[in-house]
């Protein structure tokens, strides 16, 4: 009489469901990727300054994400950068810092967009802004601001040009 179907079938279903739930829970625990703002806020010592929505979610549809603050000042992306700017200015003022370093986690992660929109936002609030594109492999800020590609930071570091010669309005 063994195996009895009325006993083995429910036990098999319970075992499969239990294993599936266990694998899902284990995968969530082991997975270290940042999937949203709540994941960032859970990292010790990290404070979330604000959230900038994706340009696809902005009803104003800015032509370029890099210049959303200038091209679409009433859009959701611009408002997100305004909120980040406010928090950033407050935190920089509290700490006495006069500079900000923006790093990219990977190519195409949005550092150029963040820097250009924050720079435009800070300049719009009458703060002095000097943006230095230290990306030697793929500099892009000169294209965003429609400036000449050189002289740049590399030329200043190699003493080919002075800092005054490299700064562009």
């Amino acid at each position: 009489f063994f195996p009895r179907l009325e006993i083995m079938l429910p036990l098999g279903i319970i075992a499969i469901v239990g294993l599936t739930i266990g694998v899902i829970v284990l995968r969530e625990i082991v997975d270290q990727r940042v999937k949203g703002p709540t994941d960032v806020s859970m990292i010790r010592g990290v404070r979330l300054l604000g959230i900038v929505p994706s340009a696809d979610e902005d009803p104003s549809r800015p032509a370029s994400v890099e210049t959303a603050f200038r091209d679409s000042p009433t859009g959701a992306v611009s408002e997100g950068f305004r909120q980040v700017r406010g928090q950033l200015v407050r935190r920089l003022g509290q700490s006495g810092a006069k500079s900000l370093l923006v790093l990219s986690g990977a190519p195409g992660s949005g550092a150029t967009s963040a820097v250009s929109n924050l720079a435009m936002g800070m300049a719009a609030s009458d703060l002095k802004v000097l943006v230095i594109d230290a990306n030697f492999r793929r500099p892009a800020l000169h294209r965003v601001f429609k400036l000449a590609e050189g002289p740049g930071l590399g030329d200043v570091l190699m003493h080919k040009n002075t800092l005054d010669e490299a700064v562009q309005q």
Side-chain angles (χ1 to χ4, degrees):
F1 293 96
F2 189 77
R4 294 181 57 180
L5 191 60
E6 61 270 3
I7 294 174
M8 296 305 286
L9 187 63
L11 286 177
I13 291 172
I14 290 171
I16 289 173
V17 169
L19 282 172
T20 303
I21 291 172
V23 167
I24 291 170
V25 169
L26 184 64
R27 186 173 174 183
E28 276 298 312
I29 291 171
V30 173
D31 188 10
Q32 297 293 315
R33 292 179 292 172
V34 175
K35 297 177 206 111
T38 55
D39 293 344
V40 174
S41 64
M42 290 171 49
I43 300 172
R44 292 175 58 110
V46 174
R47 293 187 183 141
L48 190 62
L49 296 177
I51 299 170
V52 179
S54 173
D56 298 335
E57 299 170 3
D58 192 343
S60 68
R61 297 278 183 233
S64 172
V65 181
E66 290 87 3
T67 57
F69 197 90
R70 179 187 66 207
D71 299 340
S72 179
T74 59
V77 172
S78 299
E79 185 57 34
F81 277 111
R82 264 189 214 89
Q83 291 176 357
V84 171
R85 176 196 65 194
Q87 289 290 323
L88 197 56
V89 167
R90 187 171 62 84
R91 296 266 168 93
L92 288 173
Q94 288 173 347
S95 68
K98 297 199 183 273
S99 60
L100 172 69
L101 175 66
V102 177
L103 295 173
S104 173
S109 64
T112 300
S113 301
V115 167
S116 60
N117 281 297
L118 283 173
M120 285 186 255
M122 293 203 180
S125 63
D126 293 329
L127 294 170
K128 290 183 180 182
V129 179
L130 174 65
V131 177
I132 300 173
D133 193 349
N135 187 343
F136 291 113
R137 290 188 182 170
R138 292 184 205 100
L141 285 170
H142 67 281
R143 283 190 297 272
V144 171
F145 294 114
K146 293 181 175 66
L147 299 170
E149 189 172 357
L153 179 61
D155 299 316
V156 173
L157 293 174
M158 291 177 19
H159 302 292
K160 289 182 179 178
N161 294 89
T162 65
L163 183 60
D164 290 335
E165 294 170 340
V167 172
Q168 301 178 51
Q169 293 294 320

